[in-house]
Amino acid sequence: MRRSLLPLTLVTALACEALGQSSDAAPTVADAPAPSPPIAALRAPELTRPAPTDALQIDLGCFGGTDDVLPRRMASPSGYGRGGVAPMASPPATPAPTSPPPGLGAGTIASRGPAIGGASTGAGAAPVADAASAPAEATAVASKTAAAAPRSEKPTETKEVREQEEGRRWPTPTPSVAQRLPDYDWGGVVHMSNDDASSLASAQRLLWALEHGAALQTSQIRPHELLNFYSFDAPTPSPGAMFGVSASASQRGADTLQLALSVQAAAPARAPMDLTVLVDRSGSMSAEGRMDYTRRALQKMQGQLQRGDRFDLVLFDDAVCTPVKNFVVGRDDPARVDEVLRRMQPRGSTDLDLGLREAYKVATSHASLPGRAGRVMVFTDAILNTGEVDPATVSEIGHALDARDLRLTGVGVGSDFRDDVLDQLTEKGKGAYVFLGSERVVDRMFGAGFAGLVQTVAEDVRFSLDLPDSLGMKRFYGEESSSDPTLVKEVNVEAGTHQVFFQDLAVQAGLLRPSDEVAFTMSWRDPVDGASHRQVHRFTVGAALASDPHDVHKAAALMAWSDVLLEASMGAAPCGEPLARFQTAWGQAGDDAELATAAGHLARWCGAPQRTPPPPVEVARGTTRVKIDSDVLVDAADVRCPGFSRSWTLGASDRMLEAAVPGGACEVTLHGNVPMTAAVQLSPVGTEVRCVVRGGRMACT
């Protein structure tokens, strides 16, 4: 059997598990050369990169006891102890004074907490809050953010420009007036986004609700994140390529081609990292074991950090404190961090805005050392009840972090964490967020899945689909799509993550040919040196139709499944047409453990769904053209296929035959001095055949 079936209980328990599957799809026509110059992110990190020399600071006063601030400095600039790997290449630069992030000036928050760049509020300080200042602060933040210029601008790349660069032009068919369907942009370039492939929280929370019988929230059912969450046949990138891509297609009726593009990101060796972790320790973190999950995640994460990584820990409730700063893996004693994690306990109310500002200050206070990646990770239930409580304003720190090239990861803890807060925060910071709902998920995400949370391999990524004139975008199942690239946001891509771009393409009647070419383009910026890169995967319609259609059928099943759940969440009867579509697509996908588990979750509304064979669909017959090249006069011809037979009488100048055939293993017979027959494989979407007759021999290709 092509796919192994894992126990269904294991599939449901791992809220971020990707089931291992082989990638045995038929090859497609592809063009993915190694970019030039080489992609820096794919090179192993150099061991001579400068390492932090800032003193370790441990502040146990953050936990209400006597202050115990114990800075420890390195004995020598080159020392990590035995096995040290990061000698100083040059004296450390003095950190520049940290300025407030754009739109978050110190003057907007001075009345209720320490400004960015100001002193931290320790455990002994009185909580401060001035709710009356919030409207004015929100106005100031919004106006300053709107005025901020983007970090970079890229020229809009039109189809005509691309074709001119690549020395090609698509042929322009001229269908009859009856064939023209003006509702679609035939042969256009469509820009697409599925959001960050590491944003799995909505899918994880949906599964948690289904497994625990909780009410479904319509806002948390995001079909495109299901395509990021579940496993598909995404290929490993070839050497020198950032992405591996496979394309598969299936025709639906006379006017629709369903296309699935499975994309897998590379997973190169990780560069040294400066990681600032912000932890919510407010009173609400005592519910459902939220603090225990957070502590377990941080303990698990310590085993994933590499020699030379720097770790900071900032705690917040209605005050902020930094118990760990400048801990360097391989240099400092990990028992110091273990003691801090042991002491973390819930207390106080939740001022996430205050915590984010302090994390920004800490993360931007470090000297800028070359070849190191900056990351901020936030653990919270985001139940805002102190200080700034408007999610739109609180989330503006995401823009500020992105402007400083600090990547952002949000970790939602608790079944009722504020999805809207973390969604906006990570959206503005071009980051991802996940949900911790069990110890198994914690161990998975912060064990084997850790690189997918913290290692960005491509920044400002754009995906676009260049269609032939026989196809037009009918429906895109991702988050955003447009012919205008400025309307589709750029995303960041993390190491080893995968996503599927699934769409229904409209087909112009009689114009779908196996030789029609589609180009899928990925462009991005290197996170290390900022260089721009582009990778193009080209394939023909015929190659996509000949590939294993599992990804197409699985994507269609998941989209139908999400429609069932959406109707249930809105109080409608969910077991009608969407359920029928799910059962049909599930039947086409065959044995798939994840789809079987998804079907089980519908029993609460619809009984036990069953895989059903697809209803018979009359496939549109494309036009087959037979060109005759004969050294003798041919006065008649026959074409015979399964369920089809037709004969022609030819004149002296007739050298072309044309017919709509069902396809399959066919025979072409030409009548000259004697009848001559050749076998040929014809496609139902149309084929061009050349039959050559020389010296009594005949061949059709």
Side-chain angles (χ1 to χ4, degrees), residues 312-621:
D312 304 314
L313 178 63
V314 179
L315 305 178
F316 78 94
D317 42 273
D318 46 49
V320 291
C321 192
T322 304
V324 179
K325 187 174 183 180
N326 295 320
F327 177 88
V328 178
V329 178
R331 182 193 75 179
D332 300 317
D333 183 1
R336 307 298 299 280
V337 175
D338 293 340
E339 175 63 16
V340 169
L341 299 182
R342 185 186 66 80
R343 294 193 183 206
M344 290 192 314
Q345 297 297 330
R347 44 163 264 184
S349 53
T350 308
D351 191 341
L352 176 59
D353 184 63
L354 186 65
L356 287 168
R357 292 165 183 267
E358 183 68 11
Y360 176 93
K361 187 190 77 170
V362 171
T364 57
S365 69
H366 300 309
S368 179
L369 300 177
R372 299 181 65 84
R375 172 74 57 168
V376 173
M377 182 178 292
V378 183
F379 290 80
T380 182
D381 58 18
I383 301 176
L384 311 182
N385 53 32
T386 300
E388 180 59 72
V389 295
D390 179 4
T393 303
V394 172
S395 61
E396 280 300 299
I397 196 71
H399 283 313
L401 291 167
D402 182 57
R404 296 293 294 264
D405 275 338
L406 290 167
R407 304 278 69 85
L408 178 66
T409 301
V411 183
V413 190
S415 61
D416 60 347
F417 81 84
R418 287 282 302 274
D419 174 79
D420 58 330
V421 176
L422 281 180
D423 187 40
Q424 290 186 59
L425 176 65
T426 54
E427 184 98 351
K428 293 176 181 178
K430 295 182 182 177
Y433 78 101
V434 295
F435 166 61
L436 300 185
S438 70
E439 291 183 350
R440 186 184 294 268
V441 174
V442 170
D443 293 347
R444 178 72 179 179
M445 297 300 298
F446 290 87
F450 184 66
L453 292 179
V454 300
Q455 184 184 359
T456 300
V457 294
E459 295 181 346
D460 300 336
V461 185
R462 288 191 178 276
F463 299 95
S464 63
L465 191 63
D466 194 343
L467 299 171
D469 290 299
S470 59
L471 298 174
M473 181 64 74
K474 190 174 186 179
R475 180 179 179 184
F476 176 59
Y477 291 89
E479 185 178 35
E480 296 176 343
S481 68
S482 176
S483 58
D484 182 352
T486 65
L487 298 181
V488 179
K489 65 177 177 294
E490 300 167 333
V491 299
N492 295 327
V493 172
E494 317 306 319
T497 56
H498 79 276
Q499 53 188 311
V500 170
F501 294 87
F502 182 53
Q503 45 269 310
D504 291 342
L505 301 177
V507 179
Q508 289 222 52
L511 291 181
L512 185 61
R513 297 179 296 271
S515 58
D516 281 348
E517 186 181 73
V518 180
F520 181 57
T521 300
M522 300 138 281
S523 59
W524 70 95
R525 184 170 63 88
D526 191 286
V528 177
D529 59 16
S532 296
H533 298 277
R534 191 176 75 167
Q535 181 178 328
V536 182
H537 181 85
R538 293 189 178 89
F539 57 93
T540 64
V541 170
L545 285 168
S547 296
D548 182 352
H550 171 261
D551 284 355
V552 176
H553 299 320
K554 183 170 185 176
L558 289 172
M559 296 302 93
W561 183 67
S562 69
D563 285 343
V564 176
L565 298 179
L566 280 170
E567 292 200 4
S569 72
M570 299 172 72
C575 304
E577 186 271 340
L579 177 64
R581 281 192 288 112
F582 169 72
Q583 293 181 137
T584 297
W586 180 24
Q588 292 174 310
D591 291 335
D592 187 293
E594 290 178 327
L595 289 181
T597 303
H601 290 313
L602 300 182
R604 151 182 176 188
W605 298 280
C606 308
Q610 300 295 321
R611 290 204 308 260
T612 58
V617 177
E618 183 178 350
V619 178
R621 296 180 180 181

Side-chain angles (χ1 to χ4, degrees), residues 604-643:
R604 151 182 176 188
W605 298 280
C606 308
Q610 300 295 321
R611 290 204 308 260
T612 58
V617 177
E618 183 178 350
V619 178
R621 296 180 180 181
T623 299
T624 291
R625 307 181 73 188
V626 179
K627 302 177 181 179
I628 302 172
D629 180 0
S630 175
D631 60 355
V632 297
L633 177 64
V634 175
D635 56 11
D638 304 317
V639 175
R640 294 182 176 83
C641 304

Side-chain angles (χ1 to χ4, degrees), residues 278-282 284-285 291 316-317 350 379-382:
L278 176 65
V279 171
D280 181 351
R281 63 167 174 179
S282 62
S284 59
M285 290 290 285
M291 182 58 74
F316 78 94
D317 42 273
T350 308
F379 290 80
T380 182
D381 58 18

